[in-house]
Amino acid sequence: MSETASKALGAPAASPDAGRWKALVFIALAQLMVVLDATIVNIALPSAQQDLGISDGNRQWVVTAYALAFGGLLLFGGRIADLWGRKKAFVVGLGGFAVASALGGAATNEAMMFGARALQGVFGALLAPAALSLLAVMFTDAKERAKAFGIYGAIAGGGGAVGLILGGFLTEYLDWRWTFFVNIPFAIVAAAGAYFVIREPEGGRNRSPLDIPGVVLSTLGLVALVYGFTRAESEGWSDSVTVGMFVASAVLLATFVIVESRVKAPLLPLRVITERNRGGVYLSLGLAIIAMFGLFLFLTYYLQIVKGYSPVKTGFAFLPMIVGMITGSTQIGTRLMTRVAPRLLMGPGFLVAAFGMLLLTRLEIGSSYAALLLPAMLLLGLGMGTAFMPAMSLSTQGVEPRDAGVASAMVNTSQQVGGAIGTALLNTIAASATTAYVADHIAGATSRSQQQLVQLEAMVEGYTSAIWFAVGILVVAAAIALTFVNAGRPGSTAVTGSGSGEGAADEVPVPVVAH
């Protein structure tokens, strides 16, 4: 084994930071805030739209402005974390996110709201990769790393559902503005804790000059891709601007890859994504998120519109999924991660989630929550939690310390793009099936009540049609995980958040990290 590979695996590694578990608390708190924000605002959107006079045509920008800034700037944010140091990037990201949240809560018109959401996305893109890469460089023992990433993975997976509960409470009992203001105490506590507790290991910065062409090409390419999918949802896939965005994205990202292969200090060293384990993680995780995001949307509408649940009751209805994710991540994933190969957790995990999704294809207007939705969501949570844990772990495995930020950003990018694709793709499938069902059945509905029943049946038909696609997507994610991910179990050697590029990953059984 080469000397660099030995160092990568931590043979003569420095003693671990004594404050690492305290640091995990504040890193996890920041991650929870970012994940909560992704769903909490959706619950508050109808109330905010009414108060601020936002038109139906413009309301999507409350979500889109955040998604474009966050998804477009993630790679840049990861590189800044490598350049500044993860602790500094983490604290600055938290401070900026708090200021942006205060502006959103105090918004008096739609322009101020859209600006605040974009600003949240900018600082989120700095904060998210810094949080993950801090874990990657602070936890160097395989078993400790498994526990740390289990906790982080559970929050990353289940935080969105927690956001539905919190968003329901704040909107129903206080005011939509509190869905923004609630971020401020999270950010202050996490930033103060990080400032005093986190001690980032020395020598992990990447002080190479910024790859400006790479920054411009990747940001524009990702923004065009995310906006293309977002626009497809509202304007259709054949819309000229939608098609133009996809073409522009393909050209920009292809040019980005060519540039990165030739410049001396690339924004995204291609070694980060071409290593088969990390490549398999980015692909399978992105696909799994496509399935999950669509499901969140459909179940929220099903419970509120078809079943008549309140926002708070809808949020609580997602609790089994949260419990499943926490159990899968912290109990199953963490306990088995040092005993079995990662693919034997990821592949079966995605398949269990697919089975839970398969149960939901039996949804009807009168479906019982206890008999159908509860077991389906438990299985979904268990499967996703079990798969997320080793996936997050492998995402930064074997990278050099100086690349940890940008490798972490790639996980967030695959999730963000996956979310945009999932919402647009599955929504389009659902809408088409709903329209077709109404066209076939509305003629036989003579009374108003019969017409309303046909509309509800059509909605459920749309959801189940899209959920069938989600099942297929999860099966493909499992196949990719089982095929691409060939890392051995990490119990035999000390794990580090570093590595010596491709060499370290190729010469030894590669352990695991997390998202």
Side-chain angles (χ1 to χ4, degrees):
M1 185 187 296
S2 67
E3 183 181 348
T4 49
S6 297
K7 287 179 182 176
L9 289 169
S15 58
D17 182 0
R20 62 195 179 282
W21 290 108
K22 291 180 184 174
L24 174 62
V25 172
F26 300 111
I27 293 169
L29 188 65
Q31 174 66 11
L32 179 61
M33 178 189 74
V34 172
V35 177
L36 280 177
D37 193 71
T39 50
I40 198 171
V41 172
N42 290 341
I43 296 281
L45 186 52
S47 304
Q49 180 185 356
Q50 189 174 353
D51 275 9
L52 300 179
I54 302 173
S55 68
D56 285 347
N58 284 342
R59 73 179 169 194
Q60 64 158 332
W61 283 101
V62 177
V63 175
T64 304
Y66 177 86
L68 292 181
F70 188 66
L73 292 170
L74 271 167
L75 284 176
F76 183 44
R79 178 66 181 85
I80 291 294
D82 288 335
L83 180 67
W84 287 358
R86 287 110 204 165
K87 176 178 175 178
K88 182 177 180 181
F90 184 70
V91 173
V92 170
L94 281 166
F97 202 90
V99 170
S101 298
L103 287 172
T108 53
N109 54 52
E110 63 178 34
M112 190 172 171
M113 169 62 78
F114 300 156
R117 288 291 284 162
L119 203 58
Q120 278 187 315
V122 170
F123 286 104
L126 182 63
L127 170 61
L132 176 54
S133 52
L134 274 172
L135 285 191
V137 297
M138 291 180 75
F139 286 88
T140 57
D141 174 77
K143 289 187 177 178
E144 285 194 349
R145 189 173 199 143
K147 290 178 185 174
F149 283 117
I151 293 166
Y152 190 88
I155 290 171
V162 176
L164 294 172
I165 298 174
L166 190 57
F169 260 109
L170 294 174
T171 304
E172 200 163 320
Y173 298 118
L174 289 172
D175 184 80
W176 66 265
R177 296 182 185 276
W178 282 97
T179 60
F180 286 89
F181 292 145
V182 74
N183 290 330
I184 298 171
F186 274 95
I188 291 171
V189 171
Y195 183 80
F196 291 110
V197 170
I198 290 177
R199 299 285 179 268
E200 187 179 349
E202 295 294 324
R205 291 196 191 180
N206 184 346
R207 300 184 187 275
S208 304
L210 267 180
D211 167 23
I212 300 300
V215 169
V216 173
L217 288 167
S218 68
T219 301
L220 291 178
L222 288 169
V223 164
L225 183 63
V226 173
Y227 183 56
F229 278 108
T230 305
R231 187 176 174 88
E233 185 188 351
S234 56
E235 304 298 327
W237 295 90
S238 58
D239 173 69
S240 58
V241 177
T242 302
V243 173
M245 283 294 155
F246 286 137
V247 172
S249 173
V251 171
L252 287 163
L253 293 177
T255 309
F256 170 69
V257 171
I258 294 167
V259 168
E260 296 307 275
S261 67
R262 296 182 180 182
V263 297
K264 187 176 179 181
L267 172 70
L268 175 63
L270 296 184
R271 61 181 177 268
V272 170
I273 55 174
T274 53
E275 197 275 315
R276 68 180 291 166
N277 288 287
R278 289 193 294 274
V281 164
Y282 301 146
L283 265 177
S284 61
L285 206 55
L287 285 169
I289 293 296
I290 289 175
M292 283 294 290
F293 260 65
L295 184 76
F296 271 144
L297 193 68
F298 297 142
L299 281 186
T300 301
Y301 277 114
Y302 173 79
L303 291 170
Q304 290 196 28
I305 297 174
V306 179
K307 304 294 278 186
Y309 284 20
S310 69
V312 171
K313 191 176 179 182
T314 299
F316 275 108
F318 280 95
L319 269 179
M321 193 183 293
I322 302 171
V323 171
M325 280 188 174
I326 292 171
T327 305
S329 190
T330 62
Q331 299 303 311
I332 301 171
T334 300
R335 290 173 188 274
L336 294 180
M337 198 170 93
T338 55
R339 299 179 187 180
V340 301
R343 69 176 179 276
L344 298 181
L345 289 174
M346 289 176 64
F350 288 137
L351 288 175
V352 169
F355 183 68
M357 197 79 82
L358 186 65
L359 292 181
L360 290 174
T361 60
R362 297 169 55 209
L363 266 186
E364 296 173 356
I365 290 178
S367 292
S368 162
Y369 176 83
L372 181 64
L373 275 81
L374 191 149
M377 286 199 275
L378 265 177
L379 286 169
L380 263 166
L382 274 172
M384 285 296 195
T386 302
F388 268 39
M389 212 247 125
M392 308 240 152
S393 177
L394 277 174
S395 64
T396 54
Q397 181 55 45
V399 299
E400 298 177 35
R402 62 183 181 154
D403 293 335
V406 79
S408 303
M410 271 304 300
V411 192
N412 288 286
T413 301
S414 68
Q415 290 185 314
Q416 186 65 26
V417 172
I421 295 171
T423 304
L425 179 63
L426 296 180
N427 239 5
T428 305
I429 293 165
S432 300
T434 297
T435 304
Y437 187 93
V438 170
D440 289 344
H441 295 81
I442 200 69
T446 52
S447 67
R448 182 171 177 79
S449 61
Q450 286 177 327
Q451 289 172 352
Q452 288 174 337
L453 181 63
V454 167
Q455 292 286 353
L456 289 177
E457 287 173 342
M459 287 175 69
V460 175
E461 174 70 18
Y463 302 154
T464 54
S465 298
I467 288 169
W468 272 111
F469 275 84
V471 172
I473 290 168
L474 282 172
V475 171
V476 172
I480 289 172
L482 290 167
T483 306
F484 281 72
V485 177
N486 66 349
R489 66 183 180 86
S492 55
T493 346
V495 183
T496 71
S498 59
S500 283
E502 294 143 323
D506 292 339
E507 292 183 39
V508 291
V510 188
V512 265
V513 185
H515 150 68

